[in-house]
């Protein structure tokens, strides 16, 4: 595999991976891979193509031919476009998350998206956010982070985010969804959500993201990456 530097950030939904990964990519001026977005777009593409998330061969076919583009708009927001349609909002809903988690459990879908994810590895470096970045996609990464937090804390964070967006949600329902998704992501037969053996595991339940970021930057400096 290439010698371009990569920092992998894996862990369950809502642990703060996205915030940490963006901070790292901005500070280091590296590229950023939001691998979850690829699974989310695959789920959304199935809805648009009339393919059931349960129909594994058809979903894999959608993943193999996924025509997706990412670009940053004038407000600095990342827009996700599938076959010319902006699906940025749809893929971020709770339903979008359920679709992503369901299609991500299909081995042929993961296989179809593997090479596409590796193509993000470009100089000067890459911060890769996901579930299997350190175990499967970039196993040679010099720095692997596994960021976790209790399911209650992650549900609270998601609840506050959705309230800020003006969405009407129930905290017990969110907790149930998170636990269901964790179980599906951790128990699937391919690329289950587990820390790499050489991962730096951080529990952010009682740790502000600035402290998590400082700890990861210290580890990156120690490895000569920053
Ligand atoms: O990070 P996220 O919440 O956008 O991910 C959505 C779903 O996609 C999540 O439930 C698990 C799946 N996923 C995965 O299986 N492997 C990845 N590398 C990234 C996400």
């Amino acid at each position: 595999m290439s010698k371009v530097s990569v920092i992998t950030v894996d862990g369950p939904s809502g642990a703060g991976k996205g915030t940490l990964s963006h901070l790292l990519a901005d500070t280091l001026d590296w590229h950023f891979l939001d691998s979850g977005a690829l699974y989310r777009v695959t789920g959304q593409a199935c809805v648009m193509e009339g393919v059931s998330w349960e129909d594994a061969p058809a979903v894999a076919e959608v993943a193999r031919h996924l025509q997706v583009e990412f670009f940053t708009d004038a407000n600095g927001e990342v827009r996700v476009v599938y076959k010319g349609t902006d699906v940025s909002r749809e893929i971020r809903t709770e339903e979008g998350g359920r679709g992503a988690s369901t299609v991500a459990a299909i081995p042929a879908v993961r296989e179809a998206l593997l090479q596409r994810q590796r193509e993000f590895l470009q100089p000067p470096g890459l911060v890769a956010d996901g579930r299997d970045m350190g175990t499967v996609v970039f196993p040679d990464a010099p720095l692997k982070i596994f960021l976790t937090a209790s399911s209650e804390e992650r549900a609270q964070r998601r609840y506050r985010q959705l309230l800020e967006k003006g969405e009407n949600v129930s905290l017990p329902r969110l907790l149930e969804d998170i636990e269901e998704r964790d179980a599906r992501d951790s128990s699937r037969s391919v690329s289950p959500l587990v820390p790499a053996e050489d991962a730096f595991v951080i529990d952010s339940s009682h740790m502000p993201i600035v402290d998590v970021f400082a700890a990861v930057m210290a580890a990156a400096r120690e490895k000569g990456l920053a």
Side-chain angles (χ1 to χ4, degrees):
M1 205 170 282
S2 142
K3 288 276 170 270
V4 179
S5 288
V6 54
I7 297 177
T8 59
V9 182
D10 291 308
S13 316
K17 295 188 308 293
T19 311
L20 172 65
S21 302
H22 278 293
L23 280 170
L24 288 170
D26 287 350
T27 306
L28 297 168
D29 209 10
W30 285 8
H31 298 283
F32 173 63
L33 164 62
D34 175 2
S35 61
L38 290 172
Y39 290 98
R40 287 174 182 267
V41 176
T42 304
Q44 179 61 26
C46 289
V47 173
M48 292 164 72
E49 307 291 349
V51 167
S52 157
W53 295 333
E54 318 298 330
D55 183 349
V59 178
E61 202 52 26
V62 169
R64 270 182 223 113
H65 300 105
L66 200 67
Q67 288 175 32
V68 60
E69 286 163 290
F70 294 90
F71 72 92
T72 306
D73 70 14
N75 301 321
E77 299 282 330
V78 175
R79 312 302 306 184
V80 184
V81 175
Y82 171 70
K83 277 193 184 167
T85 304
D86 188 329
V87 294
S88 318
R89 198 185 53 78
E90 289 80 357
I91 65 167
R92 298 292 165 203
T93 59
E94 291 303 294
E95 184 66 1
R98 260 194 295 281
S101 173
T102 308
V103 302
I106 302 171
V109 169
R110 305 199 71 86
E111 182 61 37
L113 297 179
L114 185 60
Q115 189 50 34
R116 199 179 279 250
Q117 295 174 79
R118 289 187 175 150
E119 284 163 11
F120 280 77
L121 188 55
Q122 299 286 341
L126 176 71
V127 179
D129 168 336
R131 302 294 187 290
D132 60 344
M133 298 295 100
T135 48
V136 176
V137 183
F138 302 109
D140 299 335
L143 180 58
K144 301 177 182 178
I145 308 299
F146 191 87
L147 186 61
T148 186
S150 69
S151 49
E152 289 79 12
E153 177 61 29
R154 290 184 286 124
Q156 282 283 355
R157 290 177 191 170
R158 183 78 183 134
Y159 182 64
R160 285 194 296 267
Q161 262 178 7
L162 292 172
L163 280 189
E164 270 168 31
K165 282 202 225 161
E167 287 186 36
N168 193 5
V169 283
S170 127
L171 183 57
R173 174 77 204 278
L174 276 178
L175 181 60
E176 208 177 285
D177 273 3
I178 281 186
E179 290 182 339
E180 198 181 291
R181 200 178 315 167
D182 283 358
R184 194 161 47 222
D185 293 345
S186 308
S187 66
R188 65 181 175 225
S189 60
V190 280
S191 309
L193 173 64
V194 285
E197 266 176 29
D198 49 349
F200 175 18
V201 179
I202 305 176
D203 184 336
S204 75
S205 303
H206 305 291
M207 199 171 170
I209 200 71
V210 287
D211 292 352
V212 173
F213 173 63
V216 174
M217 282 301 289
R221 276 190 291 273
E222 224 168 78
K223 304 249 180 201
L225 299 170

